[in-house]
Amino acid sequence: LAFEPAWIMLWPGAIQIEVQPGDVRVVAGKPVEIRAIVKAGGRVFTRLTPQLAVAAGNQQRSVAMNPNGDAFAFAFESVDRTFTYRIAAGRARSQEYTVAALFPPRIERIELRYEYPAFTGLRPRVEDDGGDIYAPKGTKVRVRVHVDKAVSSGEMTLGEGAARPFSRADDRVLEG
């Protein structure tokens, strides 16, 4: 450990920073941990505390990372927006990385088309902006889900836990 300050003074350009996870996509609301290992000459440096610089929009913040074994870490408990980050240790700087916050599509409207079994004597009907399905046994229900952004797939989970896949009617409409 005594060699670290001397190494930093004599060869500051030899410091390297290994960063994890680098560029990453995270579902909004989920945590992410950024880790850094500081090295020089093949050795891990634990006395040179790296600084994490984070930028989102026009806001910037820099914080010291916390020791974590042979590495340093900083945990975000809940990602609420996309941001970039870079790590600095001494004169060394990592490249810039991006944590992209993924916001799942939101349901805007659900249409239900009921086709009742013959024994009921009921005519087919459409329920706009429905959601809860109530019908006699044997009723066929067509579900159309309108979402606020383009989607490639989706599924509906039934009460007993079975999942039913939807097909794409267009970029923002799924049905099944």
Side-chain angles (χ1 to χ4, degrees):
L1 291 177
F3 77 92
E4 286 184 19
W7 191 286
I8 293 166
M9 295 293 287
L10 295 172
W11 300 287
I15 296 171
Q16 302 164 348
I17 306 169
E18 293 178 9
V19 178
Q20 293 176 342
D23 292 325
V24 66
R25 296 163 38 139
V26 178
V27 173
K30 297 293 184 183
V32 68
E33 181 180 72
I34 296 174
R35 295 177 51 80
I37 298 175
V38 179
K39 292 183 175 183
R43 294 178 166 226
V44 174
F45 279 25
T46 57
R47 293 178 63 193
L48 181 58
T49 302
Q51 294 288 312
L52 171 66
V54 178
N58 60 359
Q59 297 177 332
Q60 295 183 0
R61 181 176 167 209
S62 185
V63 295
M65 297 183 76
N66 302 310
N68 188 327
D70 284 346
F72 293 86
F74 188 86
F76 292 87
E77 292 180 14
S78 177
V79 173
D80 66 352
R81 69 190 86 175
T82 295
F83 63 88
T84 59
Y85 71 94
R86 162 176 296 186
I87 298 174
R91 292 188 193 163
R93 304 281 181 272
S94 73
Q95 72 181 60
E96 186 175 88
Y97 297 100
T98 300
V99 173
L102 304 176
F103 293 89
R106 291 179 178 232
I107 295 173
E108 292 182 327
R109 191 172 86 243
I110 299 173
E111 297 169 12
L112 304 174
R113 176 168 170 72
Y114 290 87
E115 293 182 23
Y116 298 101
F119 76 85
T120 65
L122 298 172
R123 302 174 99 163
R125 76 175 174 94
V126 174
E127 183 179 318
D128 282 326
D129 219 8
D132 293 329
I133 299 172
Y134 295 103
K137 186 174 184 171
T139 302
K140 293 181 183 179
V141 182
R142 187 72 160 164
V143 180
R144 288 179 55 93
V145 179
H146 299 259
V147 294
D148 66 346
K149 61 177 78 173
V151 293
S152 59
S153 65
E155 65 183 25
M156 177 173 56
T157 303
L158 303 176
E160 68 272 0
R164 304 287 172 128
F166 283 119
S167 60
R168 270 181 74 208
D170 71 34
D171 285 356
R172 294 176 47 180
V173 179
L174 300 170
E175 63 183 13

